[in-house]
Amino acid sequence: SYGFTGILPKMAVERLQGIPIWAFHSKGDRIYDIQCSNQLIESLIPYQGGLDVFDVGNIVKYTQLIPPQSNGGDDTKPDSGREHVRAALVASKSGDVFTWLQSLQ
């Protein structure tokens, strides 16, 4: 759902049923509010047969990143895109993601 904002239409959610999804989003993302990913995950869970993200097994995973604490200098406000990009970098560098993908075979 990279760059998706809003609630997925019912047909889109139905087509995603059974497809493993691991969403990463930073709470500090100022380009796309984290609520976008929250809505995406919330719309997928009922179609995957669960009540919450912990009830759907390996089909839907969601990682919310916490922005690093500022050192108190002039950088107390992060660049507008830094946290947006950081979520993608964390996901792509995570060995857990690759292990998870391999476990789905």
Side-chain angles (χ1 to χ4, degrees):
S1 74
Y2 188 80
F4 179 79
T5 59
I7 298 171
L8 286 174
K10 182 179 178 181
M11 183 181 288
V13 174
E14 289 171 352
R15 289 181 178 176
L16 290 171
Q17 186 174 5
I19 296 175
I21 295 173
W22 190 339
F24 284 76
H25 204 131
S26 173
K27 289 185 176 184
D29 187 339
R30 293 184 359 212
I31 294 176
Y32 292 106
D33 191 279
I34 196 163
Q35 189 61 30
C36 298
S37 290
N38 294 346
Q39 289 174 345
L40 169 70
I41 297 301
E42 288 169 10
S43 65
L44 290 172
I45 289 170
Y47 284 92
Q48 302 297 355
L51 300 174
D52 59 36
V53 76
F54 301 106
D55 194 33
V56 290
N58 276 340
I59 296 295
V60 176
K61 290 180 166 279
Y62 186 25
T63 300
Q64 292 184 359
L65 304 172
I66 307 297
Q69 294 294 319
S70 170
N71 63 10
D74 290 338
D75 63 343
T76 55
K77 232 179 185 177
D79 293 341
S80 63
R82 179 175 290 164
E83 286 301 300
H84 180 72
V85 172
R86 187 171 78 92
L89 292 174
V90 169
S92 65
K93 290 182 177 182
S94 171
D96 291 341
V97 172
F98 296 106
T99 301
W100 172 70
L101 286 171
Q102 290 175 334
S103 75
L104 300 172
Q105 295 181 1

